[in-house]
Amino acid sequence: MRDFKGKIAFITGGASGAGLGQAKLFAKEGMKVAIADVRLDALHSAVSEIVEYAGCNVADVMPLCFDLTDRKAYTSAADTVEKVFGGPPHLLIQTAGVNSFGPIEASTFDDFDWVMGVCLDHVVNGLVIFVPRMIKAYGGTDGVAREEFHVACTSSGGAFMAGATCGPYCAAKAAANNLMYSYADALAPYGGGSTVICPGNINSNIGDAEKHRPEHLRNTGYHVSEGTMAHLRSVHATGIDPIELAEILKEAIENGRIIALPTKDIESWEPQLRGMNGRIEDYLLTAPERQKIMEERMAEMMRNRPERDNPGGWEVPEGAERFGMARKDLDYIDPSKKPQ
């Protein structure tokens, strides 16, 4: 996606931090921007900041206050965007996120439900609600869209690392990454694209996230205080500027990159990334006895495979040709992905 002017963007977490940076940048590119957040006061100030930064009309910035984990509310917001802006977003960026720190073994159900609800479930909600609308409105065939469209997600470097003190967050981000890889493949036939951006530290107010944890999810196993939040604020104050991060995301979208890894100190990631990937490499590459066992098992399986009438391949059970296809009545799905 390279042409942004006159198109529609929908950005979650758009009232501050990375989401606000994205809203400012894409509004300046000439997009109509809808920003979703759960904080009404922050939304009002964000609209003013976007208009001032982008020099756009206030009517081209739509604040939407709702809980992103509430599917009914999310659907209603999607309907509002279509009604006011004239269609679904050409660019969906899901950036909202929360985090809290504590030993994973002390985590409660509320800790998992809150962090994974915002960091993963809300991404699922946006994709399920918007992608069918985007395909219907803008999708084409043979990889050529009628209008350019793209989905993106702001993930984290934590997606690649173990997080003994932020386990729910790292698990959610790893899952979000995988979702975006899957959507990249799925949208290509319609001419759409997908990008996940995985920053390290961002200059944002995510350190204050605990202040906005819903009342019904406040049974945490972590120690949380004004002191711990102040510490996180000081850490995040040294992070990448949200506008700079948005520019990196824009470049990735323009060039069809599925993943972007922006950080000021990429070298500091190396030991952790090597440590995590090394576990897989150790299993696959540095254990020849395991490889030998697998080869022997494969050879045994091939020796004992049943006789086949079809020399071209395994016998296919009836109905298997429809495996992995979509429901036939979904009118936005590529016909090749539906049973005939």
Side-chain angles (χ1 to χ4, degrees):
M1 182 175 182
R2 290 182 174 273
D3 184 12
F4 302 100
K5 188 174 179 61
K7 292 187 170 67
I8 303 163
F10 186 100
I11 301 170
T12 69
S16 65
L20 178 56
Q22 292 157 0
K24 288 179 176 179
L25 180 70
F26 287 105
K28 194 169 185 178
E29 289 291 319
M31 300 192 82
K32 296 178 180 180
V33 177
I35 53 172
D37 209 291
V38 74
R39 300 160 298 160
L40 184 59
D41 55 342
L43 278 167
H44 290 320
S45 60
V47 170
S48 298
E49 287 189 48
I50 294 166
V51 170
E52 180 179 359
Y53 180 87
C56 62
N57 295 322
V58 68
D60 290 334
V61 183
M62 182 192 302
L64 295 161
C65 187
F66 67 97
D67 180 350
L68 291 158
T69 66
D70 182 337
R71 290 171 179 167
K72 185 175 180 180
Y74 207 143
T75 301
S76 178
D79 293 341
T80 300
V81 170
E82 289 200 46
K83 182 178 179 180
V84 176
F85 283 165
H90 299 80
L91 177 59
L92 169 65
I93 309 177
Q94 301 201 95
T95 294
V98 296
N99 197 5
S100 192
F101 288 81
I104 190 169
E105 65 272 24
S107 303
T108 64
F109 285 126
D110 282 6
D111 290 323
F112 273 98
D113 288 347
W114 179 52
V115 175
M116 298 193 78
V118 177
C119 294
L120 176 59
D121 292 351
H122 115 262
V123 176
V124 172
N125 292 347
L127 292 169
V128 172
I129 290 166
F130 272 126
V131 165
R133 301 176 188 221
M134 295 167 79
I135 292 173
K136 286 181 179 181
Y138 312 124
T141 57
D142 298 324
V144 180
R146 295 192 301 276
E147 291 187 57
E148 292 181 313
F149 70 102
H150 204 94
V151 298
C153 173
T154 303
S155 181
S156 168
F160 308 105
M161 304 169 190
T165 56
C166 55
Y169 180 83
C170 291
K173 294 300 186 179
N177 277 25
N178 201 281
L179 268 179
M180 301 309 290
Y181 305 154
S182 297
Y183 272 86
D185 289 344
L187 293 180
Y190 306 100
S194 171
T195 297
V196 61
I197 189 165
C198 302
N201 191 14
I202 307 172
N203 186 356
S204 71
N205 62 359
I206 193 173
D208 287 333
E210 281 283 0
K211 293 181 178 180
H212 307 288
R213 186 193 281 232
E215 287 297 330
H216 69 285
L217 295 176
R218 286 191 174 273
N219 178 32
T220 178
Y222 311 147
H223 170 68
V224 177
S225 67
E226 286 295 332
T228 62
M229 287 187 283
H231 170 69
L232 282 176
R233 284 194 295 271
S234 68
V235 170
H236 289 299
T238 65
I240 190 171
D241 179 78
I243 295 292
E244 182 182 352
L245 182 64
E247 289 170 343
I248 294 170
L249 175 60
K250 175 175 172 286
E251 185 274 338
I253 291 170
E254 289 173 326
N255 290 284
R257 302 187 200 284
I258 297 174
I259 189 168
L261 301 171
T263 178
K264 289 182 177 179
D265 56 348
I266 191 68
E267 296 82 5
S268 69
W269 286 22
E270 185 174 350
Q272 296 181 74
L273 289 173
R274 285 191 180 278
M276 290 298 295
N277 292 331
R279 297 177 184 181
I280 300 172
E281 292 172 1
D282 175 67
Y283 186 85
L284 295 176
L285 304 177
T286 64
E289 68 279 4
R290 296 192 189 109
Q291 183 66 26
K292 183 179 179 181
I293 291 170
M294 293 301 294
E295 289 173 355
E296 289 174 350
R297 288 177 179 173
M298 179 61 71
E300 179 69 15
M301 184 183 74
M302 295 300 289
R303 283 194 299 270
N304 296 326
R305 66 183 180 178
E307 292 295 326
R308 298 170 294 169
D309 294 330
N310 54 333
W314 294 100
E315 183 178 350
V316 179
E318 183 179 355
E321 70 278 3
R322 296 185 292 278
F323 178 79
M325 290 192 168
R327 220 174 61 213
K328 192 173 182 178
D329 63 308
L330 297 179
D331 58 2
Y332 62 90
I333 295 291
D334 182 340
S336 68
K337 296 185 178 184
K338 298 191 291 186
Q340 300 303 311

